[in-house]
Amino acid sequence: MKIGIIGSGHIGGTLTRRLRALDHDVTVTNSRGPQSLSDLAEETGATAGTLEDAVQDADLVVVAIPLFVVPALPPELFDGKVVIDANNYYPQRDGDIGELLDRSLSSSRWTAEHLKGARVVKAFNNIQAQHLMDHGRPAGSPDRIALPIAGDDAEAKQLVMRLVDTLGFDPVDAGTLDESWRQQPGTPVYGTDRDAPGVRQGLVEARP
């Protein structure tokens, strides 16, 4: 696939490396400009580009940036795109966002409301970047980590679940974007590297 990655930090950089290793056509961008990504591009064979370069022709876009930056993204650029929301809300970094502090919205619903028209799927937010890099395993492996995948668009969710599988993780359907709070920080599945039955149990056990 042609994949755009917005953000070159821990998760964005890791996905750039992993997806290029699977021969996907990856364009990565960040707030500092393409020139700041020359080392990552040389290492991986990814293209360092602008936001528009990363999104406009992509089959799938990963958003892996601090949550408070999301409202600055131009919604029209994402219209109709499958967007993986890999973000988490951390109040100490992102500031006070009322709907997220009182949990009246999941962070992915909040993101989807800013990116009107995008087909948002929540994934990759609950795993440490180094584990995402190193712990992928073939299907059927007894130590295969599972990742929860939440979204409202069934076709977009299936696309992301297939991608997660090719990266070496068991995808678990975690419901809708409104239910994606079950995989946010502080929940049983956050950062715990559970297998598929463990993730399903953790999603059930999660409390608002």
Side-chain angles (χ1 to χ4, degrees), residues 96-118:
D96 292 347
I97 301 174
E99 308 97 314
L100 302 184
L101 281 171
D102 67 15
R103 299 213 174 205
S104 58
L105 285 182
S106 68
S107 64
S108 284
R109 176 62 68 198
W110 185 86
T111 294
E113 289 189 353
H114 285 284
L115 301 180
K116 294 287 190 186

Side-chain angles (χ1 to χ4, degrees), residues 47-127:
T47 299
T50 64
L51 179 63
E52 290 74 16
D53 294 332
V55 177
Q56 58 192 1
D57 295 323
D59 301 307
L60 182 149
V61 179
V62 178
V63 177
I65 56 178
L67 194 76
F68 72 86
V69 182
V70 168
L73 298 174
E76 64 279 0
L77 190 61
F78 295 83
D79 190 40
K81 297 290 184 183
V82 177
V83 173
I84 295 179
D85 170 23
N87 294 341
N88 288 304
Y89 174 51
Y90 300 113
Q92 66 272 24
R93 179 196 66 189
D94 300 312
D96 292 347
I97 301 174
E99 308 97 314
L100 302 184
L101 281 171
D102 67 15
R103 299 213 174 205
S104 58
L105 285 182
S106 68
S107 64
S108 284
R109 176 62 68 198
W110 185 86
T111 294
E113 289 189 353
H114 285 284
L115 301 180
K116 294 287 190 186
R119 304 161 69 192
V120 176
V121 178
K122 184 77 163 184
F124 301 119
N125 74 296
N126 75 309
I127 186 170

Side-chain angles (χ1 to χ4, degrees), residues 121-158:
V121 178
K122 184 77 163 184
F124 301 119
N125 74 296
N126 75 309
I127 186 170
Q128 296 178 37
Q130 197 61 52
H131 293 190
L132 180 60
M133 187 71 197
D134 296 336
H135 293 178
R137 299 289 185 268
S141 298
D143 58 345
R144 204 181 204 216
I145 295 169
L147 300 181
I149 316 295
D152 299 338
D153 185 309
E155 184 181 26
K157 190 191 289 187
Q158 284 299 316

